[in-house]
Amino acid sequence: MSNPKLEAKECQVLECIAAATSLTSLSITEHALMPCAPICSHLTGLPRLQALELRWMSPPCRSDALALTVLTGLTRLVLEGAKAVDDTVAAALACHLTALRHLVLRNCWLTSPASLPVIATLRQLQVLDLSGNPWQEPELSSEDILLLSPLSQLQQLELGSYSYVDAQRSPYPVVYLNDGQNLFGDCPTLSGTSWNAADTAAHLIGTGKLPPFVIVGIDHAGPLRSYEYTPCTPGSGPGGFRSDAADWPGGGIHAYLDRLRDEVLPWVSANYPVSTDPQDRAFGGSSFGGIAALVAGMRGAEGCGFGALLVESPSLWIGDPEPETFLKEVLSYKGSWPQRLYLGMGGKEYSGTRRSYLPHALTITDYTSACSVQWLQRALAAACEVLSYKGSWPQRLYLGMGGKEYSGTRGGQRAEHDANFPRYLKALYASLTQAGLGPSRLAWAFEPEYAHTESAWAGRFAAALQFVGGGWWQRWLQRYTNELFFTVPRKLQAGVPGQLLFFNRRNSHTLQGVRGGLKMIVGRNGWEHTQHLPMKFAAEVQARCSIDDGSSDWLMVQLPPLTGDAYEVNFVFCDAAGTAYDNNDSNDFWLPVECQPAGANRGGGPDWWRTTVTVPVDATQAHFVFSGDCYGEERWDNNGGFALREVESVQALEHAGGTLEILELKKRVDPASLDSSSSSNGSSGSYSRSSSNGSSSSKEATGKASNGTGKNEKAKRQRWWDEKRLRVWLPPGFKPEDAPPGGWPALLMCDGQNMFEDWLSHQGVSWNLGVTAAELIASGAIPPCVCVAIDSAGPYRSYNYLPFPPGTGQGNFREDAARWPGGGADEFLGRVQHELLPMLQDRYNLSQDPSRLAFGGGSFAGVTALMAAMRLPHVFGNVLVESPSLWTGEGRFLEDLAAHSGRLPERLALGCGTREYSATREHERYDVDQMLLNQYHEASTLLQERGLRGPGRFMFWVDEGAGHHEGAWRWRLNGALRFLAQGWWDA
C-alpha cells in the first residue's frame, strides 16, 4: 500500500540530489529511500559524479538501472542488492562506463557469464566483485573466468562460491527469516545494526559446526508489517504501555503464511537448490516476526512444513481489545509443534530501546502497578497452565529470556520487575524438563543485560542456528558413512577460505584401531608447502547436534587457504606420533582444485598469453600452432601433430525418443607427413593444416618442405585403422545451446556398431545404449547426456584396442588370436583425446570437465578403457570397463596395472561374469572361466589398492552365470550408468 506522504518526501529528496550538480560522490541505501524509488533516473544530471554506491537500493526496473549508463565519469560503482541489474544491464553498464576502476555488482541478478566479455573491456579495472549472484553454474568455471584475462590491472576479484549444481542432488538446509532487511547489512535496519547473519553462518560452516546451509530473508511490508505478522491488532498492551501501537493494523498473518507456503517457498525451491524436507527447513523471526513464527508452528496441516522454529523476543503482549490474547492462545494450544523450538529473550526488552517513554495519563507509580505487575500476574497465571500441562511437547524447545526484560529498555525506570522474568523462565524450563524435554529437545537463552534489538538477536543467532540445525550434520555423515573422507565444499576451490575435510577412521585399514588423536599431512601442487594439521573429533565441534554413535569415528580439519595457483591438494593421514599412516597404500591421496586464474598478468599462477587474430568472414575453422624462443632455441607446440577431424556427412535417425546421428568422417591428415619428433613438451616439429576441400598438406616447423613420402608400411595401413564413423545419440529435445552450465555430460564408447541397434551388433544383440540412457533420464536417475559410440576398425580392432598383440593366453586357450595385431592403443587414445573429443565438444557443446565425461568399452575395448583410466584420468573422470581381456599378452596388462603409481579417475565401474569363456562356446572350460574370474578379482584388488576405494569411487559387479557378450554388458549397463553419472550431478 503506497503512502502519499512518503512518496512526496522521497520526491523532494530526489529533487535535492538531482539539483546538486557539483556532487562527486554519492551513497544511498534502502534505509534512506523506499525500494520503489526511481533513483537512477534522477542521477542523470550529475556530470561530475565519480563514485556512486546504491546499497540494498534496487532500481524498480531495468530501464531505471540503464539510466546510469550516461554517468560516463564514474570510476567507482557499487550496486548491492539491485535485482534489476541482470546480465543485460551489467553488460550495458560496462560498455558505457569505460572509466571504471572499481566495480561491485554484489547480490544482483547475474545468472550467466554473458556480461564478462564486456566487463573485460574495462582495462583500468582494479577491483571487481560479482559475489552473491545466482549463477546457474556451481560457480563460474575456469573457462568463464578466463574471459576476464584482459583485466591485467585487476588486484581484487570476488566471484563467490555458492554451489547450485553441487546441491541439486543433496539440497542445502534452509532457514527462512522474517524482517529480511535486518539480517545482512546495517544500513537497511531499523536500529542501524543487523543480525550479521551471513558472517555468523559463514563462521559456523567454516568451523564445521554446521554444514553448508542457506538463509532466506523475507523483507517485511513496511507500514503493514504488523498486519502481516500478527493474528490480531496489537493494541496498546497491558496498562497501555505501548500506546504508540494502538492504531497499528493486524490480523493478516494467515494470509501471509498462505503466500509463504504457496508462492515464496515454491519459488525459492525452484530457483535455489534448497531442501523441502521439514527436517532441513526452519522458520523464524523476532518481535512481531517471532509471533509469525509461533503462528506458523501452530498451523498444523495448513503450515509450511518447518521442522524447527527460531523465535526471538516475541511480542506476547499483543491483543485487542484485551491484551495478551495471543499469549493465552499459545499457552492453551494442544496441537503438535515442530521438532525443534528455540526461544530467546533479553532482560531489557522494553527499556533498552526507550529512554524516557511514559504514557501521558500515568505517573511512574501508576505505570509500575498498572502495567508491569498486572502483566506479570497474568503471565504467571498463564504459566501455571503451562506448568500443569501433561501433553506431548516438540522434540526440541529453546527458551530464552533476559534479566532486565522491562527496565532494560527504559532509561530511568524502576528495575524491580525484571527479577520476575528469570523466575518465570526457570519455572517454565523446569516444567518442560520434567515433561521429558531433555537438552537435545529444549534450548533457551536468557541474557540479563540485553534488550529488544537486532544486536541482541545477532548475539544469540549462532547458538540459535546450531540448535535449529541440530540434525543437519547427522544426515551428512550418514550420507558418507561408507566413504573414507569427504570435503565441504565437495569441490575444493582456489582462493576460498574455510574449506573442510572429514575423515572416517572406521574405514581406514591402518588407522581404525588408533584411539588417540590423528593428524593430516597436507601439501599442494605435488607436495609444495607441506603442513601438519591436527584433526578434531567431529562430535566435539558439533557438540550441540544430534550425532549418532558412529560419529566418534569422524574427525575433521580445516584446510589451509589454497592460493590462486593451486590445482591439487596432496595429503595423507597418520596418528599423533607419526608411527601409523594411511597414505593410500603408498600412493598418497590427492584432490583436484578448481583454479581461478588471476587475470592476464604473468606472475604467480597460470602463465597466460594473448594475441589478436583477424578472422575472415567466410572462415569455418581456425588452425594454429605456438612457437617461442627458449634460450636461443626455437620451440614449437603443435598438439603432437594431431588435427581435429572433420565431418563429411550426417544421417539423423529417430532412436529411443531422441536422435541418433551417424557421422561419416573425412579422411585424416596423413600422419606419415608429420615430423615424428613433434610433441607437446616443446620439442621442435611440424604442424598440419587441412584445406577446405578436405585434402591435407604439411610443412615443417622451419618452413621447409617435408621430406616424408607417406609410402612407408605404417602409412599404407593407417587407412584401415583410422576412425571413420561415429554414432551420436542425443536425448529428447537436445539443443547444443541449451546445455547445462559447463556443457552436456557425455559417455564415449568403443565398438560403436554394437551400441544401439541389434542388427548391426557382433552377435545380434546390442548394448541398447540409447534406450537405457533414455529410460534413466526419463526417470530422473541420471541427467540428460550425450552418448557417443566410435565404430571399431574391423580387422584392425585388436590393433587399436590393445597395447600389445593378444597372443593365445595362458594354456593357449585362444589359439584363434595368435596372429591378431596389437600395439596401437596409445595412438587410438591419442586420436580420441586430440582429434575426436575436441570436435565433438565443439559440435555438441559437450563438457570439458572430467567429472562429466566418461569413457568405456568391453572385451578388448575393456582393456582400452583401463588404459584410459591410467593415462587419461584428467580427461575422463569416469570409466566403464566390461569383461576386459586381461588374458592378452599372457597377463602382461595386470603387470602394467600393478606397476601403475599415478592417478586414477574419480569413478570406475568394472563388470564381469562367472562364465566368460564357456557361455559363448559349445564346450565348457571351467578352468578357463575360473582363471578369467581370478584375473578380474586381481584387477579389482589392484585398483582399490591404488586409490579406488569406497562405493563412491569403485563398483565391481560379478554377474553370476554371465558370459562374454553384449547381452551381459547390456544387462549391467543400467547400474553402471547410474554409478558413473553421480559425477555428472556433482560437477
Side-chain angles (χ1 to χ4, degrees), residues 329-386:
E329 180 182 347
V330 175
L331 295 178
S332 62
Y333 174 67
K334 302 300 182 182
S336 61
W337 287 92
Q339 290 189 357
R340 293 177 295 279
L341 178 60
Y342 173 103
L343 180 61
M345 188 78 72
K348 299 180 179 181
E349 286 289 321
Y350 183 83
S351 63
T353 57
R354 292 161 178 82
R355 290 296 167 258
S356 58
Y357 173 83
L358 291 178
H360 297 297
L362 296 177
T363 65
I364 294 179
T365 304
D366 293 335
Y367 186 73
T368 300
S369 59
C371 178
S372 300
V373 176
Q374 182 184 27
W375 185 77
L376 281 173
Q377 289 174 344
R378 292 180 180 178
L380 289 172
C384 292
E385 181 179 349
V386 177

Side-chain angles (χ1 to χ4, degrees), residues 62 65-72 77 85-98 100 103 105 110 114-116 118-119 121-122:
R62 292 173 59 195
L66 289 170
L68 296 177
T69 57
V70 303
L71 301 177
T72 56
L77 176 63
V85 179
D86 57 12
D87 299 312
T88 302
V89 173
L93 293 174
C95 183
H96 291 84
L97 308 182
T98 56
L100 283 175
L103 177 60
L105 303 177
L110 306 184
S115 61
L116 299 188
V118 186
I119 294 176
T121 63
L122 302 174

Side-chain angles (χ1 to χ4, degrees), residues 180-465:
Q181 76 290 336
N182 295 338
L183 298 179
F184 303 108
D186 293 342
C187 291
T189 65
L190 175 67
S191 65
T193 303
S194 75
W195 286 47
N196 203 26
D199 290 340
T200 300
H203 174 74
L204 293 174
I205 295 170
T207 55
K209 294 179 180 178
L210 283 178
F213 65 97
V214 174
I215 297 176
V216 177
I218 309 168
D219 282 15
H220 65 59
L224 295 179
R225 174 176 179 266
S226 61
Y227 175 79
E228 284 197 336
Y229 287 171
T230 60
C232 58
T233 53
S236 57
F241 84 109
R242 284 299 305 269
S243 60
D244 57 320
D247 297 329
W248 291 0
I253 179 60
H254 291 289
Y256 169 71
L257 292 176
D258 286 344
R259 294 196 302 275
L260 183 67
R261 178 195 60 202
D262 301 333
E263 300 176 18
V264 177
L265 268 63
W267 184 89
V268 172
S269 299
N271 289 273
Y272 300 89
V274 298
S275 178
T276 57
D277 185 343
Q279 304 309 313
D280 290 333
R281 195 157 64 175
F283 181 57
S286 60
S287 191
F288 285 170
I291 296 293
L294 288 172
V295 175
M298 296 190 296
R299 295 231 308 175
E302 297 180 359
C304 303
F306 296 114
L309 297 180
L310 191 162
V311 183
E312 279 286 3
S313 302
S315 301
L316 297 173
W317 53 267
I318 65 170
D320 191 23
E322 183 182 355
E324 305 165 5
T325 55
F326 179 70
L327 173 63
K328 296 175 181 178
E329 180 182 347
V330 175
L331 295 178
S332 62
Y333 174 67
K334 302 300 182 182
S336 61
W337 287 92
Q339 290 189 357
R340 293 177 295 279
L341 178 60
Y342 173 103
L343 180 61
M345 188 78 72
K348 299 180 179 181
E349 286 289 321
Y350 183 83
S351 63
T353 57
R354 292 161 178 82
R355 290 296 167 258
S356 58
Y357 173 83
L358 291 178
H360 297 297
L362 296 177
T363 65
I364 294 179
T365 304
D366 293 335
Y367 186 73
T368 300
S369 59
C371 178
S372 300
V373 176
Q374 182 184 27
W375 185 77
L376 281 173
Q377 289 174 344
R378 292 180 180 178
L380 289 172
C384 292
E385 181 179 349
V386 177
L387 297 177
S388 62
Y389 175 65
K390 302 301 182 182
S392 63
W393 287 92
Q395 184 174 349
R396 283 171 170 251
L397 180 63
Y398 187 102
L399 301 176
M401 188 171 289
K404 300 181 179 180
E405 288 287 322
Y406 176 80
S407 65
T409 56
R410 290 157 180 79
Q413 298 298 318
R414 296 167 62 181
E416 62 267 21
H417 316 299
D418 292 324
N420 294 302
F421 286 89
R423 286 200 302 270
Y424 170 68
L425 184 63
K426 290 178 181 178
L428 180 59
Y429 181 78
S431 175
L432 294 174
T433 302
Q434 292 175 2
L437 276 71
S440 64
R441 298 186 60 192
L442 174 64
W444 59 280
F446 173 71
E447 296 185 314
E449 299 299 324
Y450 283 82
H452 192 87
T453 62
E454 282 80 10
S455 59
W457 304 327
R460 298 193 288 264
F461 191 46
L465 282 174

Side-chain angles (χ1 to χ4, degrees), residues 522-661:
V522 59
R524 58 180 175 85
N525 298 359
W527 287 107
E528 296 178 357
H529 308 289
T530 302
Q531 300 182 46
H532 292 242
L533 305 176
M535 305 188 75
K536 302 177 181 178
F537 286 99
E540 296 176 359
V541 177
Q542 304 155 7
R544 298 194 64 117
C545 302
S546 296
I547 306 293
D548 60 3
D549 294 337
S551 66
S552 60
D553 293 311
W554 283 102
L555 294 96
M556 59 167 291
V557 65
Q558 186 176 72
L559 297 176
L562 302 175
T563 55
D565 62 340
Y567 57 83
E568 72 176 19
V569 174
N570 315 95
F571 55 96
V572 298
F573 306 97
C574 66
D575 61 2
T579 56
Y581 283 82
D582 190 337
N583 59 1
N584 197 21
D585 295 317
S586 301
N587 293 296
D588 298 341
F589 297 101
W590 71 278
L591 286 171
V593 176
E594 289 285 337
C595 300
Q596 295 187 359
N601 57 308
R602 300 203 308 275
D607 190 7
W608 295 106
W609 293 65
R610 64 177 184 267
T611 188
T612 301
V613 179
T614 301
V615 181
V617 294
D618 60 344
T620 58
Q621 285 190 335
H623 303 270
F624 52 91
V625 297
F626 302 98
S627 68
D629 180 79
C630 182
Y631 301 104
E633 178 183 353
E634 188 174 24
R635 297 290 183 90
W636 291 76
D637 187 340
N638 64 353
N639 195 31
F642 293 102
L644 297 187
R645 295 297 297 273
E646 297 182 44
V647 177
E648 187 165 18
S649 65
V650 180
Q651 180 184 6
L653 307 171
E654 293 184 4
H655 184 80
T659 303
L660 180 62
E661 291 191 351

